[in-house]
Amino acid sequence: MTAQHFNGFTPLPPYPTPDMPDDSYNAAAYATTAAYPLMISEMTAAAAVVENNANLSEQQAGEASQAAQAAAATLIDVKTAANGAFAAASYKGDWVNLTGALNVPATVTHLGRLWYLKLNLANVTTQAPALGSTYWGEVSRNDFTILPCPAGTTNAADRGLYRMTSSTSVLLLPAAPWHGMVVAAANVSGTLTPVISRNGKTICGDAENFTMNALGFQIVLQYDSISGDWVAVSGLTAFTAAQPAIGTSNIWTALQNFTGGLNMNGIPIVESGSNANGEYVRYADGTQFCSKIQTVNTAISNSDGGGVLYSPAVNLGSFARAFSPQAPSVILTVSGGAGAFITSGSTPQTTTSWGNCFVSSGASRAATNYYISCLAKGNWF
C-alpha cells in the first residue's frame, strides 16, 4: 500500500441567481446541473484517496508500535549483554574464597547473585556483598523465577515468585535470611487461606504469619537485616492471569513491573479484616485504619477539682493490627449518656494498643452503659 494524491476538484460554473434574466438563469442552471456528474465522480475519487491514506497511516502506526516494542526488547538484551560482558571481564570468583585487597573493577558471586565492586577494598573479607552496600552493587535484571507453592510447606528461595495454588499452601521464609533477600508470592488458590510463615522474623513489622486472604493478591517481601523485618516492596512486580503455567524455566521479568504500588484487582486496599480487637483496613501506600466500638458500664463520680467529674480509667485494649513505625493518631467519641464526653487518660496510645481514657461529665452519674467509638489512623509499614 502506497500513499495516493488527489489533484483537486474541477471548479463549478457560476450558480444561477434570482436577479438573472430568465434566459441567463436557465443557461446557468443547465450548466451547473451538467457539472454535477463530474463533481460526484471527483468526490468519490477523493473519498477513496482519503480512505487509502487513512488505512496506510493505521498500518504505519502499527508497524511503528511493533518496531518500538522490538527496540525496547533489544535494549534490554543489550543491557543484559553489557552486564554479562562487564562481569566476565573482571570476575574474581566467589566472595567467600577471596582474601586481601580488591580493587575496582571487580565482580564476584555471592549467595547466588553477581556483584560488582564500587570502591576499592583494603580487605575484601570486611564487606560482604549486599543490597544497599556502599561497596557493592548487583549485576542483575531483577528477574523472578516462577515456582509452585502447592499444598503443604514450601521453603522460599531468593528471587522466587511463588504461585500459592492450594488452600493449605504455606510458604516458609528462611530462618536465617540475608540482607536484601527477596521473595514474592501470589494467591491463585481460589481460597483465602494460603499463608506466608515468618519463621521467627517479622513481616511488615508484625510478629505473626501473613495470610494471603484475597484472591489474586500479590506481595513482594525484602529482608532488612537491620530491623530483622521482611518489608513489603511496592511496585516491584505484579501477578496477572496471563502468566504462563508452571514449567521448568518460566521467568517473571522486570518488563512486567507496574506503577502505583501493590493493589488488589486495581483497588489500593491490600488487606482488611476483623478480630476480637476490632476491624482494620490496610492500603497499598502504607496507610492503616483500625476501629471498634467498646462498651463500658461505669459511673461518673470522680472529681478532678475543677467542676468536671470522670469515670475510672477505661482501658481500650489492643489494635486489631499493629501500626509501624510509630503510634497512630486516635479519635474517641462516646454515646449512651446525655452530656457525656471523653477526656484523655493516663496511658497514651502505642503502636499496638489504644491506651486508656475517661468518660467525663459536668455532673455525677450512676453506672450505665457507654459506647466508646474508637478510630486510629497511622501506617502499617
Side-chain angles (χ1 to χ4, degrees):
M1 183 181 297
T2 59
Q4 297 179 358
H5 178 71
F6 179 68
N7 293 323
F9 293 98
T10 302
L12 289 173
Y15 292 105
T17 61
D19 59 345
M20 289 181 174
D22 289 346
D23 55 345
S24 298
Y25 183 92
N26 292 336
Y30 178 80
T32 300
T33 304
Y36 284 165
L38 177 60
M39 180 183 69
I40 293 172
S41 175
E42 290 177 342
M43 291 177 65
T44 302
V49 170
V50 170
E51 181 180 16
N52 175 82
N53 292 345
N55 291 336
L56 177 61
S57 297
E58 182 179 10
Q59 175 185 326
Q60 291 174 336
E63 292 172 350
S65 176
Q66 293 176 0
Q69 294 176 15
T74 301
L75 177 60
I76 291 174
D77 291 339
V78 168
K79 288 181 178 178
T80 304
N83 285 339
F86 171 78
S90 54
Y91 181 64
K92 304 300 180 183
D94 200 335
W95 175 82
V96 296
N97 297 324
L98 301 179
T99 58
L102 185 65
N103 295 325
V104 176
T107 55
V108 301
T109 47
H110 183 55
L111 298 174
R113 301 186 184 182
L114 185 63
W115 308 85
Y116 67 91
L117 187 65
K118 296 188 285 186
L119 298 171
N120 293 341
L121 277 171
N123 185 352
V124 68
T125 62
T126 63
Q127 296 291 334
L131 295 179
S133 169
T134 302
Y135 292 89
W136 296 100
E138 187 182 6
V139 181
S140 172
R141 279 179 58 187
N142 203 27
D143 292 345
F144 285 84
T145 301
I146 298 180
L147 298 169
C149 184
T153 299
T154 300
N155 294 320
D158 183 44
R159 292 282 170 80
L161 183 285
Y162 291 89
R163 297 174 75 249
M164 308 179 85
T165 56
S166 169
S167 61
T168 59
S169 294
V170 176
L171 182 61
L172 180 65
L173 297 175
W178 60 85
H179 182 73
M181 182 177 181
V182 179
V183 175
N187 180 2
V188 294
S189 67
T191 68
L192 307 179
T193 55
V195 170
I196 301 177
S197 175
R198 64 189 183 91
N199 201 3
K201 307 300 180 183
T202 58
I203 299 177
C204 301
D206 290 336
E208 56 187 59
N209 294 334
F210 191 96
T211 301
M212 303 284 282
N213 61 351
L215 300 182
F217 175 69
Q218 66 279 326
I219 191 168
V220 183
L221 298 172
Q222 186 170 49
Y223 185 68
D224 176 19
S225 62
I226 305 301
S227 63
D229 185 35
W230 286 93
V231 180
V233 180
S234 177
L236 182 61
T237 189
F239 172 80
T240 67
Q243 289 301 318
I246 293 299
T248 57
S249 61
N250 290 321
I251 298 295
W252 189 308
T253 71
L255 285 178
Q256 294 159 320
N257 289 355
F258 73 102
T259 59
L262 296 174
N263 67 83
M264 181 174 64
N265 297 328
I267 301 172
I269 296 176
V270 297
E271 184 182 356
S272 63
S274 62
N275 53 42
N277 294 315
E279 300 178 344
Y280 67 92
V281 180
R282 287 180 163 179
Y283 291 83
D285 64 358
T287 302
Q288 174 172 290
F289 289 91
C290 285
S291 63
K292 69 176 180 177
I293 297 178
Q294 181 158 326
T295 303
V296 58
N297 186 282
T298 185
I300 302 176
S301 58
N302 299 326
S303 175
D304 69 353
V308 174
L309 291 90
Y310 59 93
S311 71
V314 178
N315 183 359
L316 298 173
S318 300
F319 294 120
R321 294 297 296 270
F323 289 86
S324 179
Q326 60 191 24
S329 61
V330 169
I331 299 175
L332 306 176
T333 58
V334 64
S335 61
F341 56 92
I342 293 294
T343 53
S344 59
S346 57
T347 302
Q349 67 268 33
T350 68
T351 57
T352 58
S353 63
W354 294 91
N356 65 15
C357 68
F358 299 103
V359 181
S360 301
S361 176
S364 63
R365 298 174 182 273
T368 188
N369 281 344
Y370 293 95
Y371 306 96
I372 303 175
S373 297
C374 311
L375 177 65
K377 178 186 177 183
N379 293 294
W380 60 282
F381 70 84

